[in-house]
Amino acid sequence: MAFNIARYNRQMLLKLVVISSAMFAFGYALIPMYRVLCEVTGINVVTSKNNYGTRAVHAVDKNTQVDESRLITIEFDSNTQGPFRFRSVKNSMQVHPGEMVQVVYEVVNTQGRAISAQAIPSYAPKQSTQHFTKLECFCFEEQTLKPNESREMPVVFVIDPALPKDIKNITLSYTFFEVGAGQKVITGEHNSKPSKI
C-alpha cells in the first residue's frame, strides 16, 4: 500500500483546524469563566463593575483593626535648641488604638542663613514607646531650612492596640536642634590628650 501524501496532508490540516478552533473557543470562554471564578472565590472583585464588586470596595473602607472601645489622649510637646520656632499645630488629640493619625508640626528658621536641624523624639510613659509606630516623620532625616523659611512637617502614626489598658495618655515630645552648631573639628593633636569625663 502506497503512502498517500495528499490524504495525509488533508488529515493533518483538518486536525490543525480542529485544534486551533478548540484553542480559540477555550481562550474566548476563559473571560466568563474567570469572572465566575473571581465572584465565587472573592478574588479581584475590586475591578468588577457588578454589585458584588461595589460591595467589596465599600467593605474595605473601614479598618477592622481599630479598637473603637478605647480612646488614648496624645499630647504633643516641642522643644528647641537653636535659632528657630518649633511647635505642633495641635496640643493634643484623642485617637483609637489601631487608627492611622496625622499631626503637623511647624518650624520657622528665624535666621538669615540656612540651618540644618534634626528632631529627636521621646515618649512618656516609657512603656508606650514600643506601641507608638511612626509611619512618616520629619525626624527620620536631617532637615535643612533656608533663611527665614517656615515649613509644615507631618507625622503619621499608629498606636498599637496591644498598648496596656492602664495607659490612657501618651506624650510625644520632640527636641529640634541645630546640627553642627558650635562644634569644633577634632584633629590628631587633640587625640593624644586625656579627656575629662
Side-chain angles (χ1 to χ4, degrees), residues 52-64:
Y52 182 77
T54 305
R55 283 185 283 120
V57 169
H58 294 303
V60 297
D61 286 346
K62 186 176 179 181
N63 184 348
T64 57

Side-chain angles (χ1 to χ4, degrees), residues 3-162:
F3 180 71
N4 188 346
I5 188 100
R7 184 175 175 206
Y8 175 77
N9 285 343
R10 277 193 302 272
Q11 287 177 344
M12 183 58 71
L13 179 64
L14 182 62
K15 288 178 184 177
L16 288 174
V17 167
V18 170
I19 290 172
S20 298
S21 299
M23 288 172 61
F24 178 76
F26 180 73
Y28 189 76
L30 274 178
I31 296 169
M33 286 173 35
Y34 179 74
R35 263 194 210 121
V36 169
L37 180 67
C38 287
E39 287 181 13
V40 169
T41 60
I43 300 172
N44 201 24
V45 293
V46 174
T47 58
S48 177
K49 294 181 181 177
N50 62 18
N51 186 37
Y52 182 77
T54 305
R55 283 185 283 120
V57 169
H58 294 303
V60 297
D61 286 346
K62 186 176 179 181
N63 184 348
T64 57
Q65 295 180 350
V66 176
D67 183 359
E68 294 183 352
S69 67
R70 296 174 63 193
L71 272 175
I72 309 296
T73 301
I74 311 295
E75 296 175 352
F76 304 104
D77 180 44
S78 54
N79 306 290
T80 59
Q81 291 182 3
F84 28 72
R85 291 191 308 270
F86 175 63
R87 69 176 188 89
S88 171
V89 176
K90 295 182 178 181
N91 292 331
S92 67
M93 66 171 52
Q94 290 194 318
V95 302
H96 296 288
E99 176 182 13
M100 188 168 19
V101 184
Q102 176 175 309
V103 67
V104 175
Y105 278 78
E106 293 177 335
V107 64
V108 178
N109 178 1
T110 60
Q111 298 293 302
R113 63 181 172 87
I115 295 176
S116 292
Q118 180 77 46
I120 302 294
S122 60
Y123 311 88
K126 191 165 181 66
Q127 62 265 34
S128 67
T129 303
Q130 62 187 352
H131 301 286
F132 202 110
T133 304
K134 291 189 295 298
L135 306 173
E136 179 183 340
C137 183
F138 56 90
C139 64
F140 292 159
E141 55 190 37
E142 189 175 295
Q143 303 293 321
T144 301
L145 301 168
K146 296 176 185 171
N148 302 309
E149 179 185 3
S150 63
R151 185 184 298 173
E152 291 188 345
M153 303 181 295
V155 178
V156 179
F157 65 90
V158 175
I159 304 298
D160 188 346

